[in-house]
């Protein structure tokens, strides 16, 4: 890269903000005349001690320099701890550009990149098409299509080297009705990391365990999570869970007069090489948390006590087998769920053209799978009068493909039966995601 091309980047970023103060700065470089287009930016950076030039008093802006030389200058600028906000922003951009060269020089850029912006925004545009068909008990057939467009905005703010604040804003549009809903705050929490210890406080997702991988509850609750360990992790959480917003009750539990339950959970995960495994216990309880009388065990009516165990083994880098099982010890029926899944490869949004496929057999009992991550089954949890409200079982085949950078397409097909009626049920699912 030519030095004057770098000057263009420097000048465009700083000339407007720094021109007034740079005019008063002395020109330290004999080969940068006052009428040079980058004069203000160069002299200000030199005055701030960010750019030092060469020992002979020249900037050498008209000769070609190597990326290695530019990385050396950037490294010297990174070592300065008293830069102004505008100078620091410029140095951060240079460090990102010359990250490989800086790493070769032994200069770590991870901390610099982490502090480049105190607040970072990521996002996702998501399109979902879901079509399901279920046979009712009376012999009629229920058909329904979902055609949804969603935007997710994810601010991530750095508080200090240990703490961040994370959030997600979600806006949804029903395309068939051309009807947009309100933008909702899905979660908001503080996330602290101290080596092997991680602490989270606020409204956040349940801890993610190898034991169930979203089989039990892929939802958000208000409270706290503590995680400790690396290869072996111990996780504990406690707080309040809004059952109505998570569609609980459609799977058998009924929020009568109130929507929120007390919640506690604990889990242990292990990961080493090809093997991942875990066990977890979760409990929800509320005076208004009713288990339908015909499915109670030992007269208990206001609790869900769910154990889960499972794991995944990777035979090769492309082939992995996962098995998960969950049971609600408070219920006598619809109380067991499991998922056996064989994965081949997988798509990667940073690797256009990558793809993956899977086949699975799942049984989702309504009293042990309160809010699963498997969207292809969720229609049975969203229609309370539906015959399939207590869950489904059957085969799923699916795949994923990354057609271009930061884009992913998922497709899936489920064919099985309602646990309640034994009648057939099938779903076609498509999801397109674009990330930034």
């Amino acid at each position: 890269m030519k030095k004057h091309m770098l000057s263009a980047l420097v000048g465009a970023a700083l000339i407007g903000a720094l021109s007034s103060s740079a005019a008063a700065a002395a020109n330290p470089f004999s080969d940068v005349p006052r009428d040079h287009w980058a004069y203000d930016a160069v002299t200000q950076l030199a005055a701030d001690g960010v750019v030092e030039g060469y020992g002979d008093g020249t900037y050498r802006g008209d000769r070609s320099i190597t990326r290695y030389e530019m990385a050396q200058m950037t490294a010297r600028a990174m070592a300065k701890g008293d830069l102004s906000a505008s100078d620091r922003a410029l140095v951060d951009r240079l460090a990102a550009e010359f990250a490989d060269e800086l790493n070769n020089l032994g200069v770590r850029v991870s901390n610099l990149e982490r502090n480049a912006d105190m607040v970072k925004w990521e996002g996702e545009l998501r399109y979902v098409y879901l079509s399901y068909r279920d046979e009712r008990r009376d012999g009629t057939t229920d058909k329904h299509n979902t055609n949804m467009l969603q935007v997710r905005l994810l601010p991530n703010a750095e508080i200090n080297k240990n703490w961040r604040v994370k959030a997600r804003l979600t806006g949804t549009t029903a395309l068939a009705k051309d009807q947009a809903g309100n933008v909702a705050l899905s979660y908001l929490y503080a996330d602290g990391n101290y080596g092997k210890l991680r602490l989270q406080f606020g409204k956040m997702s349940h801890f993610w365990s190898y034991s169930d991988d979203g089989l039990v509850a892929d939802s958000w609750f208000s409270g706290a999570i503590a995680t400790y360990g690396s290869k072996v992790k111990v996780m504990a959480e406690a707080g309040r869970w809004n059952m109505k917003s998570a569609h609980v009750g459609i799977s058998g539990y009924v929020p009568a007069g109130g929507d929120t339950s007390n919640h506690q959970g604990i889990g242990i995960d292990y990961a080493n090489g090809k093997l991942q495994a875990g066990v977890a216990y979760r409990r929800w309880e509320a005076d208004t948390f009713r288990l339908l009388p015909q499915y109670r065990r030992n007269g208990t009516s206001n609790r869900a006590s769910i154990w889960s165990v499972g794991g995944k083994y990777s035979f090769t880098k492309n082939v992995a087998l996962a098995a998960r099982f969950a049971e609600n010890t408070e219920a006598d029926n619809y109380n067991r769920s499991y998922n056996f899944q064989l994965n081949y490869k997988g798509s990667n949004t940073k690797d256009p053209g990558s793809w993956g496929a899977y086949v699975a057999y799942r049984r989702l009992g309504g009293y042990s799978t309160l809010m699963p991550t498997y969207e292809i089954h969720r229609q049975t949890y969203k229609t309370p009068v539906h015959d399939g409200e207590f869950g489904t079982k059957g085969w799923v085949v699916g795949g994923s493909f990354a057609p271009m950078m930061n884009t992913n397409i998922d497709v899936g097909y489920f064919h099985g039966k309602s646990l309640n009626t034994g009648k057939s049920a099938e779903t076609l699912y498509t999801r397109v995601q674009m990330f930034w």
Side-chain angles (χ1 to χ4, degrees):
M1 179 181 292
K2 289 185 178 295
K3 186 67 172 289
H4 65 270
M5 294 177 65
L6 244 305
S7 297
L9 176 63
V10 173
L14 295 181
I15 193 168
L18 302 178
S19 59
S20 59
S21 58
N27 182 5
F29 303 121
S30 59
D31 57 350
V32 182
R34 184 173 293 275
D35 59 355
H36 193 282
W37 66 267
Y39 174 84
D40 289 338
V42 171
T43 53
Q44 184 59 51
L45 287 174
D48 291 343
V50 179
V51 174
E52 299 176 358
Y54 293 87
D56 61 359
T58 62
Y59 185 63
R60 301 184 188 178
D62 295 324
R63 83 165 182 88
S64 298
I65 65 171
T66 66
R67 291 181 62 88
Y68 182 81
E69 288 177 310
M70 191 62 225
Q72 288 179 310
M73 296 180 67
T74 303
R76 289 196 296 270
M78 291 171 60
K80 300 181 183 299
D82 56 350
L83 300 181
S84 66
S86 58
D87 288 352
R88 173 58 64 187
L90 173 60
V91 171
D92 289 346
R93 286 192 290 271
L94 292 176
E97 169 66 26
F98 297 99
D100 292 340
E101 288 79 10
L102 288 167
N103 285 329
N104 291 335
L105 288 171
V107 179
R108 296 189 58 180
V109 298
S110 57
N111 289 337
L112 181 79
E113 291 172 341
R114 178 176 60 83
N115 292 314
D117 296 300
M118 296 301 289
V119 180
K120 295 182 179 180
W121 285 82
E122 296 179 344
E124 175 191 347
L125 179 65
R126 172 179 293 202
Y127 168 75
V128 173
Y129 174 79
L130 185 148
S131 176
Y132 72 82
R133 180 192 65 81
D134 288 344
E135 293 184 14
R136 294 183 179 273
R137 190 185 299 275
D138 60 8
T140 61
T141 300
D142 181 28
K143 297 181 179 180
H144 185 74
N145 295 329
T146 297
N147 203 18
M148 180 191 75
L149 188 65
Q150 188 177 82
V151 63
R152 299 179 174 188
L153 300 178
L154 297 91
N156 187 330
E158 179 184 349
I159 305 304
N160 52 49
K161 68 177 183 179
N162 298 114
W163 286 91
R164 306 191 73 93
V165 172
K166 301 179 181 181
R168 193 183 94 183
L169 301 171
T170 307
T172 303
T173 295
L175 294 178
K177 299 180 180 180
D178 190 29
Q179 182 179 8
N182 295 328
V183 176
L185 181 65
S186 299
Y187 58 74
L188 173 63
Y189 64 95
D191 190 352
N193 289 272
Y194 296 88
K196 295 182 178 180
L197 176 64
R198 182 182 183 187
L199 302 172
Q200 297 166 272
F201 303 95
K203 184 174 180 65
M204 72 221 110
S205 176
H206 295 278
F207 68 73
W208 200 260
S209 174
Y210 295 139
S211 67
D212 64 284
D213 195 40
L215 178 64
V216 175
D218 179 11
S219 184
W220 307 284
F221 78 105
S222 298
I225 301 177
T227 304
Y228 183 80
S230 53
K231 287 186 178 180
V232 178
K233 288 186 178 181
V234 179
M235 304 158 290
E237 65 184 21
R240 301 275 288 173
W241 192 42
N242 187 303
M243 300 179 289
K244 185 176 181 180
S245 65
H247 308 295
V248 180
I250 298 167
S251 57
Y253 280 99
V254 180
D259 301 323
T260 308
S261 68
N262 293 318
H263 165 65
Q264 302 87 37
I266 189 170
I268 300 176
D269 275 359
Y270 171 79
N272 187 12
K274 297 182 177 181
L275 177 64
Q276 299 174 346
V279 60
Y281 171 77
R282 293 181 169 93
R283 175 188 174 109
W284 292 270
E285 182 172 6
D287 292 338
T288 57
F289 199 23
R290 283 209 317 265
L291 179 64
L292 297 180
Q294 63 268 40
Y295 304 121
R296 297 175 186 172
R297 178 177 291 183
N298 300 324
T300 302
S301 61
N302 67 339
R303 285 198 302 268
S305 300
I306 301 177
W307 287 91
S308 59
V309 61
K312 182 175 73 173
Y313 184 81
S314 299
F315 297 95
T316 68
K317 67 177 183 179
N318 293 328
V319 180
L321 178 65
R324 272 98 185 188
F325 175 84
E327 180 175 356
N328 183 355
T329 60
E330 305 291 342
D332 275 328
N333 208 344
Y334 309 111
N335 60 336
R336 293 186 180 91
S337 296
Y338 51 77
N339 177 41
F340 298 98
Q341 183 164 322
L342 181 65
N343 299 319
Y344 179 72
K345 292 187 175 181
S347 59
N348 183 346
T349 59
K350 301 301 182 184
D351 181 16
S354 61
W355 63 279
Y358 69 91
V359 59
Y361 185 82
R362 296 172 182 157
R363 183 189 193 276
L364 305 184
Y367 289 134
S368 53
T369 301
L370 301 186
M371 185 63 177
T373 193
Y374 312 119
E375 294 184 79
I376 196 169
H377 296 274
R378 281 189 179 176
Q379 77 278 7
T380 62
Y381 296 87
K382 292 183 177 179
T383 311
V385 297
H386 200 272
D387 281 336
E389 63 190 47
F390 294 99
T392 56
K393 65 178 180 180
W395 289 93
V396 180
V397 293
S400 60
F401 175 61
M404 56 186 178
M405 184 69 72
N406 298 327
T407 304
N408 189 70
I409 300 174
D410 288 307
V411 295
Y413 175 73
F414 162 74
H415 184 80
K417 296 181 178 181
S418 162
L419 296 182
N420 190 20
T421 66
K423 301 290 186 178
S424 67
E426 61 181 352
T427 304
L428 176 64
Y429 174 79
T430 301
R431 180 178 64 188
V432 180
Q433 298 166 281
M434 303 183 76
F435 301 93
W436 64 87

